[in-house]
Amino acid sequence: MRRETQNILLILLGGALVKIALNGDYLRYVKPAQQPWVIAGGAVMVVLGAVAIVRDLLAARTAGHEAHDHDAHGHSTRPAWLLLVPVLAVFLVAPPALGADSVIRTEARAPSSAATANAAAFPPLPAENVVPLAVNEFVTRAGWDKAGTLNGRTVSLTGFVVHTEGSTLLARLVISCCAADAFPVTVRLRDGSADHLPSDSWIQVTGQVVPGTATQANSYTPDFTPASVTSVPAPKDPYEY
């Protein structure tokens, strides 16, 4: 690959990083706290590519004796420039966030913080009729809270549908830094109220935990008895932390 093509690719990649950092698509890959680093990295790549192009143009202008070969040289690089078309599409069209396929391929588990949670009391849930909870907090409490703070309480969970091994799950993916370290937390939905929904559909469910169903043997996947199931749009940030 010629230097000109390398420099253009550098600018395109840097521009793509800045673009996804500004429009929010970066949340499909990293935590919100990483946004400044994504912007900075993209900006540096754009500057480096632009500086290299300017330097090459100045060098070409100085080497005036090569001007007679310019036309033939331009034709010879045309195939290389055509390679930018698919590359541009890959860089600027963001793929979807991780979903049901990742949940099926990766064993669910309670968040690592739960390893010490059983040694400390969980705070009581707010005194509300329906308590909204992150799925990872719900799974952690269901698996490790010996005081049973979830028992008999109606909670609201938001996640995407996963169909696997005859069960319908509500799932979220938890990341520590980026999508590469994502792991799923899952809740098994009873009563079949979400069985008709396709995988990766986003839903909000209200209902109650079935006490004692989140164990190491089932990868800390508690059973949940829904009172309502509502389809919702996919959130801008699909992960939990």
Side-chain angles (χ1 to χ4, degrees):
M1 185 182 295
R2 297 187 60 83
R3 282 178 53 86
E4 296 92 334
T5 308
Q6 292 174 345
N7 294 334
I8 293 295
L9 290 176
L10 191 63
I11 291 176
L12 288 177
L13 179 55
L17 288 176
V18 173
K19 175 179 179 289
I20 65 174
L22 296 179
N23 69 12
D25 285 344
Y26 77 100
L27 292 171
R28 301 176 183 181
Y29 313 105
V30 295
K31 297 174 63 172
Q34 304 298 324
Q35 184 188 38
W37 298 105
V38 176
I39 294 175
V44 168
M45 295 174 73
V46 170
V47 170
L48 288 176
V51 168
I53 288 174
V54 170
R55 182 188 59 191
D56 290 346
L57 289 174
L58 292 176
R61 181 176 298 179
T62 301
H65 64 276
E66 296 179 359
H68 293 294
D69 299 329
H70 176 75
D71 186 60
H73 178 70
H75 285 292
S76 66
T77 59
R78 185 170 300 169
W81 287 104
L82 291 176
L83 292 174
L84 296 179
V85 176
V87 172
L88 182 63
V90 170
F91 287 155
L92 299 185
V93 179
L98 300 176
D101 286 344
S102 296
V103 173
I104 293 171
R105 292 195 306 265
T106 307
E107 182 180 3
R109 65 179 189 267
S112 58
S113 59
T116 57
N118 61 338
F122 283 81
L125 295 178
E128 303 175 20
N129 290 332
V130 179
V131 181
L133 286 179
V135 178
N136 61 359
E137 180 181 355
F138 178 82
V139 169
T140 300
R141 285 177 180 264
W144 296 88
D145 181 17
K146 307 235 185 294
T149 55
L150 288 176
N151 297 350
R153 298 300 306 273
T154 299
V155 301
S156 172
L157 306 173
T158 299
F160 56 89
V161 174
V162 179
H163 298 292
T164 178
E165 297 181 351
S167 296
T168 298
L169 309 178
L170 178 140
R172 291 296 289 265
L173 287 154
V174 181
I175 66 175
S176 300
C177 174
C178 62
D181 60 32
F183 67 89
V185 285
T186 53
V187 175
R188 182 174 292 102
L189 301 178
R190 288 191 170 185
D191 83 0
S193 56
D195 290 355
H196 66 287
L197 297 172
S199 290
D200 289 319
S201 300
W202 281 84
I203 57 174
Q204 183 180 68
V205 299
T206 62
Q208 296 186 1
V209 69
V210 178
T213 54
T215 65
Q216 185 176 10
N218 66 9
S219 301
Y220 296 99
T221 298
D223 284 5
F224 187 83
T225 303
S228 67
V229 177
T230 305
S231 295
V232 296
K236 188 69 175 176
D237 184 357
Y239 302 116
E240 291 184 353
Y241 309 99

